[in-house]
Amino acid sequence: DTAVSQTPKYLVTQMGNDKSIKCEQNLGHDTMYWYKQDSKKFLKIMFSYNNKELIINETVPNRFSPKSPDKAHLNLHINSLELGDSAVYFCASSQGEGNTEAFFGQGTRLTVV
Amino acid sequence: GNSVTQMEGPVTLSEEAFLTINCTYTATGYPSLFWYVQYPGEGLQLLLKATKADDKGSNKGFEATYRKETTSFHLEKGSVQVSDSAVYFCALRSGGATNKLIFGTGTLLAVQP
């Protein structure tokens, strides 16, 4: 019973390609996130959706476009991939707008060659 | 803005040694504080949390106390094991409509037999 699942786990692609990462949570949470973890393990939030509505959009290039078809899914589409996009991308979810913890997926390691 | 500062690693200890990883924060209001752990090749798991001043979070022998007067949430364990080797992240979340989980830079712990 995976709580937050993302696919694929590994993604290797060439520069200039377009790719998507999918995320689903079965916790009934209303808020979902995308985080990027760089090679030094630093975690930075990219986007947050609450009940399918975008509420946080950090300074992320507009080549990155999140899509939330329903509150259990938050997908990340990346256009025109660049070498610097190589990182581990984590999906997470939490309940409500309070101070509750977030639950994370296993991550998607994206390598752009 | 809100931020988290944690001690830089790597921290290298022998098995059964005492562990402290320092974490201090800057936040408006009354944030919740968290420690997450990331084992090699895996996603982030919540280790423990505290939601108000003087709360102590504990799990798997790890402890951390929410100290409002020193704005700290240091992680401690009395006797580490090789299996505790991982990256540890301190984080805070302050609630509200655009609240987000803000992470420290992570501290790599390596425990040697």
Side-chain angles (χ1 to χ4, degrees), chain A residues 28-106:
Chain A
H29 290 166
D30 56 9
T31 304
M32 295 185 72
Y33 313 83
W34 278 107
Y35 280 82
K36 179 180 180 180
Q37 185 176 47
D38 64 22
S39 59
K40 295 184 179 178
K41 301 292 187 184
F42 185 68
L43 280 156
K44 183 163 171 43
I45 191 167
M46 300 172 69
F47 301 103
S48 171
Y49 271 72
N50 179 267
N51 282 318
K52 302 194 297 175
E53 180 182 347
L54 179 67
I55 57 172
I56 294 175
N57 183 348
E58 295 290 302
T59 51
V60 176
N62 58 15
R63 297 182 295 103
F64 290 79
S65 53
K67 284 187 172 50
S68 182
D70 56 61
K71 73 174 190 177
H73 295 83
L74 181 61
N75 304 322
L76 183 65
H77 189 75
I78 316 170
N79 289 329
S80 304
L81 278 154
E82 300 177 357
L83 293 177
D85 297 332
S86 296
V88 181
Y89 292 84
F90 285 101
C91 178
S93 72
S94 67
Q95 181 56 36
E97 298 173 348
N99 294 357
T100 55
E101 66 268 32
F103 293 80
F104 284 78
Q106 291 298 296

Side-chain angles (χ1 to χ4, degrees), chain A residues 11-20 63 77-82 85 110-113:
Chain A
L11 183 54
V12 181
T13 188
Q14 292 188 326
M15 276 193 335
N17 283 351
D18 303 338
K19 290 293 179 185
S20 292
R63 297 182 295 103
H77 189 75
I78 316 170
N79 289 329
S80 304
L81 278 154
E82 300 177 357
D85 297 332
L110 171 66
T111 304
V112 183
V113 298

Side-chain angles (χ1 to χ4, degrees), chain B residues 24-90:
Chain B
T24 57
Y25 67 91
T26 302
T28 54
Y30 303 93
S32 289
L33 302 173
F34 308 90
W35 277 100
Y36 280 83
V37 58
Q38 185 178 28
Y39 298 103
E42 297 186 12
L44 280 82
Q45 302 174 27
L46 179 67
L47 181 60
L48 53 84
K49 68 177 182 181
T51 58
K52 61 183 188 298
D54 300 324
D55 268 2
K56 177 186 282 187
S58 61
N59 185 26
K60 299 182 181 178
F62 291 89
E63 292 183 342
T65 300
Y66 189 143
R67 301 282 188 205
K68 191 164 171 57
E69 64 276 13
T70 54
T71 61
S72 65
F73 193 53
H74 305 320
L75 182 69
E76 296 182 336
K77 186 174 185 182
S79 175
V80 293
Q81 305 300 312
V82 172
S83 57
D84 293 327
S85 299
V87 180
Y88 292 82
F89 293 91
C90 186

